[in-house]
Structure formats: structure tokens, C-alpha cells
Amino acid sequence: MDRVERHLLTDEVFILLSGKALLIEATFGKEGIRFDTIPMEKEIIYNIPEGVWHNIALEKEAIVFIFENTGTHLRDCEYYSLTGEQQQLLDQLILHPAT
């Protein structure tokens, strides 16, 4: 995973239908970037509020419904490219999420 994104005007909703997935939230502070992972449960609605940096990690077989306004990724989205060190940190969290 090489980036996180945020929507400036709208929330985004995720629902896991099958398989395994982790929602990832990124926050920026004096210490740098911090990642939190949320193991998704099947058929639970997860709302990511506007302005929250996020991404989703899915196993290959996972199926997720993603709900957002039409054109969100064309006009309401910012991306932050992760450094190599940040990618490695996030990869470790994805492979070994906190329980």
C-alpha cells in the first residue's frame, strides 16, 4: 500500500460482504504519521467521516461494498503518498494487526 486518501466534502461507507479486510486510518501529528487498523466484521457498516485519511487492505477473495457520492474521486479526494518507511510500517500492521 503506497498511499492514503481523504474526502474533503463527504463521508465514505464500507461494508464487508465476505473474506477479510482491514480499514486503515492515518493521523498526522508531531511524531509523524500513525496508523490504526480496524478488522472489519461481515455485514457491519463502517463510516469514514469526511477529512479522515484512510485506505482499506483486502485479502484477494474479499468482497466489499463501498458507498460514496458520484465523482468523489474526481473532485473530492486528496492523496498522501507514503514514504518507503511508512509503507513498511503499514505493511507490518496489515500482516500482524492488533487484536
Side-chain angles (χ1 to χ4, degrees):
M1 187 168 299
D2 63 354
R3 68 183 183 179
V4 290
E5 65 180 56
R6 69 178 174 178
H7 307 284
L8 302 173
L9 303 172
T10 61
D11 292 1
E12 186 171 17
V13 172
F14 298 84
I15 301 173
L16 178 65
L17 299 180
S18 66
K20 292 183 181 178
L22 287 174
L23 278 177
I24 297 153
E25 180 181 322
T27 53
F28 295 86
K30 293 178 186 176
E31 304 294 318
I33 194 168
R34 177 178 169 218
F35 299 107
D36 290 307
T37 58
I38 302 162
M40 294 180 71
E41 294 181 42
K42 201 171 149 188
E43 299 177 358
I44 300 296
I45 296 172
Y46 295 88
N47 183 68
I48 302 295
E50 68 180 65
V52 174
W53 291 101
H54 66 281
N55 208 327
I56 186 170
L58 309 166
E59 70 177 5
K60 191 173 185 176
E61 301 81 24
I63 298 173
V64 176
F65 269 144
I66 301 174
F67 296 92
E68 61 188 16
N69 288 343
T70 302
T72 294
H73 282 90
L74 299 176
R75 63 181 176 273
D76 178 29
C77 199
E78 286 185 341
Y79 299 97
Y80 175 83
S81 295
L82 301 173
T83 66
E85 185 178 317
Q86 292 166 339
Q87 289 177 38
Q88 289 177 355
L89 173 61
L90 184 52
D91 287 347
Q92 286 302 308
L93 291 172
I94 291 168
L95 292 172
H96 308 287
T99 54

